[in-house]
Amino acid sequence: MGQVTGTYGGRSAQERQADRRERFLAAGLELFGTGRGYRAASVTALCEAARLSTRQFYEEFRNLEDVLARLHLRVNDRTEQAVLRALTDAAGLGFEQRITAVLRAYVTAATGDPRRLRIAFVEIVGVSAELERQRLVRRSRWVALLVAEAEAAAARGEAVARDYRLAATAFIGAVNGLLHDWTAGQFQATLDQIIDELAALLLGVTRPAAH
């Protein structure tokens, strides 16, 4: 990928390059997140949507998979930032209130744009070994966050002390499946109903078993 230099139209080469990159990513979000999706896309179609040339494309990306990878990371970063803000705002609250705040932030951020949801939960799956590693690494970050919250709650006496890695991994899979089916119209539910259901599921594995 090449480097551009010099100033043109009052904008630096770096600014122009950043603008082109954003135009390609915006076009990729639309092209991969709607219609026939990533697997039916082409570099030519992406360039036409971005109104840029194929030469400019290859100055920024190796191939379409690079675009999809960048979008996947961006979607996850956006959702992660929303969750971290919710955790900060919920500091000092009990475990149940914190979990509800986190789930609301996650669900709202993840489902706010159907294109981002599709890229994160559908288009990224099974593309290549490299993207599968990226997907699993990002999923492991969500698992680690849940485990840390559960362990902190256990230390405060609000949850059972146990190894939560298996439960957190299963929960993340359940969340992703539920949100995909919900936004695909497989069933009718409000945002509050989704959050309440997920909170009940997560709290259920952190509480002592009834005897």
Side-chain angles (χ1 to χ4, degrees):
M1 293 178 285
Q3 282 286 348
V4 290
T5 59
T7 301
Y8 180 79
R11 303 174 68 207
S12 70
Q14 290 76 18
E15 288 172 331
R16 298 197 309 275
Q17 187 173 27
D19 176 68
R20 287 195 296 271
R21 189 180 303 117
E22 288 303 313
R23 287 169 64 181
F24 280 126
L25 290 171
L29 179 63
E30 183 66 23
L31 199 61
F32 304 163
T34 61
R36 296 170 63 194
Y38 168 78
R39 288 163 177 79
S42 66
V43 170
T44 299
L46 182 70
C47 291
E48 288 176 355
R51 296 187 177 182
L52 293 166
S53 69
T54 55
R55 177 186 61 79
Q56 290 169 316
F57 174 85
Y58 287 111
E59 287 175 350
E60 303 298 330
F61 304 99
R62 294 175 300 172
N63 49 39
L64 284 181
E65 187 176 317
D66 266 3
V67 180
L68 180 62
R70 191 81 60 88
L71 286 169
H72 175 254
L73 291 176
R74 180 171 286 192
V75 168
N76 272 269
D77 286 345
R78 183 187 183 97
T79 306
E80 186 177 86
Q81 289 162 10
V83 166
L84 292 177
R85 285 194 299 269
L87 281 172
T88 299
D89 293 342
L93 298 180
F95 181 55
E96 185 169 348
Q97 290 76 22
R98 283 174 65 80
I99 285 300
T100 300
V102 165
L103 289 172
R104 182 173 294 277
Y106 182 91
V107 172
T108 301
T111 63
D113 186 332
R115 299 170 303 173
R116 294 191 179 96
L117 182 81
R118 179 170 169 179
I119 284 168
F121 297 154
V122 179
E123 298 300 322
I124 195 73
V125 177
V127 171
S128 69
E130 184 176 350
L131 275 190
E132 191 64 10
R133 282 191 296 272
Q134 176 176 301
R135 185 178 72 87
L136 294 177
V137 165
R138 293 310 295 247
R139 190 170 69 179
S140 71
R141 287 171 61 161
W142 291 112
V143 170
L145 186 148
L146 286 176
V147 168
E149 281 298 306
E151 289 177 344
R156 296 191 300 266
E158 296 178 303
V160 177
R162 52 169 287 200
D163 185 345
Y164 280 101
R165 286 173 296 180
L166 184 62
T169 301
F171 180 74
I172 290 297
V175 171
N176 293 350
L178 182 66
L179 295 187
H180 176 268
D181 286 0
W182 179 45
T183 55
Q186 295 298 311
F187 57 87
Q188 296 297 313
T190 66
L191 175 65
D192 285 339
Q193 287 175 320
I194 293 293
I195 293 166
D196 288 346
E197 195 66 35
L198 291 174
L201 182 63
L202 183 56
L203 292 169
V205 301
T206 64
R207 290 170 173 161
H211 296 289

